[in-house]
Amino acid sequence: MVSIEEIVRRKEKIAVVGLGYVGLPLAAAFGKKVDVIGFEIHPGKVKELESGYDATGELTREDLENTAIGYTTNPADLKLADFIIVTVPTPIDENNNPDLSPMEKASETIGQNLKKGAIIVYESTVYPGVTEDICVPILEQESGLKCGIDFKVGYSPERINPGDKVHTVEKIMKVVSGMDEETLEIVAQVYELVITAGVHRASSIKVAEAAKVIENTQRDLNIALINELALIFNKLDIPTMDVLAAAGTKWNFLKFTPGLVGGHCIGVDPYYLTHKAEQIGYLPQVILAGRRINDGMGKYVAENTVKQMIKAGKVIKGSRVLILGLTFKEDVPDIRNTKVVDIVAELKDYEIEVLIHDPLANPAEARHEYGVELFELSAVGKVDAVIYAVSHKEFAGMSAQTFAGYCMNGHGKGVVMDVKSVLNRDEIEKAGMTYWSL
């Protein structure tokens, strides 16, 4: 069985499978104290990390230099690991069903190279039961070993917040679980090596899995409520942010704001929970209603862009719209499940030319994932409207006059769509443009 003393003495190794937004910061934290194997299936990513570059932007060159990770793409290296942490993506498919193939493939690889006595801890977001009912049988089949006798499993939901330099992995309390009391204690002790905020010992693996999916489901529903209120207030011609500012003066009012809900957590996790609920014969109502509202916000923004352009005297067919930001949230390069593409798709249905600028997103990735091109601002030219979709720090210095300089195409007033509700309405309107926000 894994020994925390042997890990600290570097006699036993920790392996992290998947070096993305979740796995890399965790591996780096462990790499400051113990021996770490960083397994990644993409050779290009390993080369970048070995050269000191993290494409996710989570770690700096200095961060990577100050940790010791043995990067590898060779599955056989996992045979050296006594404690394996799995941090692969868990996306949804085009029908909003959980796609567990990364988890299954990771389990196959680990099973084929599993050391007797090892502990495997999954961190990827799943619905209750995936670790024990889906992953464990794969591990047993591929390894020929028996769970509970030859190896043990646990679950510790990831809590990484991409782009957040304050709430880093070490400073966020970690939920841990194990298949039995002995495993739970070892898992807790391993994470306590690096998690200064402490750990919470969940009563079972299924409890820990469920805790993860409801964390983001709760946020999703709160944002859905505010988005629905924004739809109502816009029809009433009442500024949503003014209403929220007034209501927010009460001590127990939850301060959420309207917007696009994408990414690989809030916009995905609820579907894992509803999928499991439907499997056991319960049709979720509130959760799916919130998902429908949030999934429809991109289309809503696009439709209102067209309405505002018509009111401003613009000819829609052939008009040009600049979208600022493609990533799913500010100050990160991650474009997974971004809802900005919903705005793009809807505008193109109106035969509008859409130009997207994002200084953080990877142009090749944007082209591959969504078939969209990214433009430098110098190549945009004049447009009829600007949609401020993502509030990157790089956009903070853009003034009303900057927007006015772009919005000089053809007849009619320029239109500024402030999805993030961060621009100054008075300044935009004084500059001769039409302003709209959620």
Side-chain angles (χ1 to χ4, degrees), residues 57 144 155 218 232 238 277 320 422 433 437:
Y155 182 81
Q218 183 185 67
I232 295 169
I238 300 173
R320 310 178 81 238
V422 296
M433 295 171 289
S437 68

Side-chain angles (χ1 to χ4, degrees), residues 317-334:
K317 184 177 180 180
S319 59
R320 310 178 81 238
V321 172
L322 167 63
I323 297 181
L324 294 174
L326 177 65
T327 61
F328 87 90
K329 67 179 289 189
E330 64 276 2
D331 303 323
V332 299
D334 195 347

Side-chain angles (χ1 to χ4, degrees), residues 16-20 22-23 39-41 85-91 100-107 110 122-126 158 336:
V16 178
V17 176
L19 300 177
V22 175
F39 177 76
E40 174 58 53
I41 62 173
I85 302 172
V86 184
T87 59
V88 296
T90 44
L100 294 174
S101 59
M103 287 275 282
E104 293 167 344
K105 290 175 182 175
S107 297
I110 293 168
Y122 290 88
E123 288 209 4
S124 308
T125 300
V126 293
E158 60 91 357
R336 285 179 293 173

Side-chain angles (χ1 to χ4, degrees), residues 253-375:
F253 185 81
L254 301 179
K255 297 184 179 181
F256 288 87
T257 55
L260 305 176
V261 183
H264 47 89
C265 288
I266 300 178
V268 171
D269 294 1
Y271 286 122
Y272 274 76
L273 183 57
T274 58
H275 174 81
K276 185 61 177 180
E278 290 170 354
Q279 276 189 341
I280 60 175
Y282 179 78
L283 180 61
Q285 299 180 58
V286 175
I287 297 172
L288 288 176
R291 281 279 75 233
R292 284 192 294 272
I293 291 170
N294 286 342
D295 276 349
M297 293 307 291
K299 185 175 187 292
Y300 178 75
V301 169
E303 289 174 344
N304 276 275
T305 300
V306 173
K307 289 178 182 178
Q308 294 299 323
M309 289 170 66
I310 291 172
K311 289 179 182 178
K314 297 290 186 179
V315 176
I316 300 304
K317 184 177 180 180
S319 59
R320 310 178 81 238
V321 172
L322 167 63
I323 297 181
L324 294 174
L326 177 65
T327 61
F328 87 90
K329 67 179 289 189
E330 64 276 2
D331 303 323
V332 299
D334 195 347
I335 63 172
R336 285 179 293 173
N337 195 36
T338 174
K339 294 304 176 182
V340 177
V341 295
D342 293 350
I343 301 177
V344 176
E346 188 69 16
L347 291 178
K348 287 185 176 180
D349 282 346
Y350 287 93
E351 298 187 43
I352 293 173
E353 182 184 356
V354 182
L355 303 102
I356 308 169
H357 171 70
D358 193 311
L360 299 184
N362 184 302
E365 187 179 355
R367 192 179 304 113
H368 177 265
E369 292 295 323
Y370 303 111
V372 299
E373 297 293 331
L374 298 183
F375 291 80

Side-chain angles (χ1 to χ4, degrees), residues 136-137 139-140 145-153 179:
V136 165
L139 291 170
E140 290 183 326
L145 302 176
K146 186 67 177 176
C147 185
I149 299 175
D150 301 311
F151 67 91
K152 301 287 187 74
V153 295
M179 63 181 295

